[in-house]
Amino acid sequence: MLASMMSEPELQQGVGEPDGFRRLWTPHRMAYIQGENKPTGPAPDDGCPFCSIPRLSDEEGLVIARGTSVFAVLNLYPYNGGHLMVVPYRHVADYTDLDGAETAELADYTKRAMTALRAASGAHGFNIGMNQGAAAGAGIAAHLHQHVVPRWGGDTNFMPVVGHTKVLPQLLADTRKMLADVWPQG
């Protein structure tokens, strides 16, 4: 082990009683915990981020690719590096509300996301899914979105299990560019 890892914990004033644990501070997560940028209601004009993102530049909105009915965007609060979402432009809450063209393009963009993530990061597998409604865990229940989370063998380690912290090795802007550069064209 590195000598710095073997040294005694540094006592810091104001952090509570010394307990021998080292701390990895993730203050950026407080925005998510406090509900920053969450819609105030179910309507598109209630601050829905999925309705406002398409009006931003790709870089500012972290948009990877845009289709006719859907777009692919990085998750601001990712479970893993490269965690993205496929989102219909139309403000609909339920999968059954999509029309045929939206359903087809959502499926196609999910496949493209998997292809891009494999090319960019060598993902070994994926968690893909939608949380339908607040009771099912949807953070933004009023606007449908499908998660595509890349996974690698051994990517679950002690940090999320013990520390409730996910270590992400790359800035979101860099991940967006990397995926946009390898996004498969139709």
Side-chain angles (χ1 to χ4, degrees), residues 7-129:
S7 64
E8 290 297 313
E10 178 182 330
L11 179 60
Q12 295 179 356
Q13 298 298 317
V15 297
E17 294 296 317
D19 57 15
F21 285 103
R22 297 187 184 277
R23 288 169 174 79
L24 177 60
W25 300 104
T26 57
H28 62 281
R29 294 286 300 162
M30 189 54 69
Y32 178 76
I33 293 166
Q34 293 178 336
E36 187 174 299
N37 296 323
K38 287 204 65 158
T40 57
D45 58 352
D46 287 337
C48 177
F50 297 136
C51 289
S52 63
I53 287 170
R55 295 189 294 264
L56 303 172
S57 71
D58 289 354
E59 292 77 13
E60 188 179 9
L62 298 174
V63 174
I64 299 163
R66 296 173 189 259
T68 303
S69 301
V70 304
F71 62 98
V73 62
L74 286 179
N75 190 319
L76 277 179
Y77 309 104
Y79 292 117
N80 265 351
H83 176 177
L84 62 86
M85 296 170 292
V86 180
V87 184
Y89 290 110
R90 193 163 61 94
H91 187 86
V92 297
D94 197 86
Y95 186 65
T96 62
D97 293 335
L98 295 178
D99 64 27
E102 291 166 328
T103 302
E105 193 171 50
L106 188 133
D108 179 55
Y109 264 57
T110 299
K111 289 171 58 176
R112 291 185 198 201
M114 293 171 67
T115 300
L117 285 161
R118 282 187 180 122
S121 67
H124 299 150
F126 299 90
N127 293 120
I128 297 173

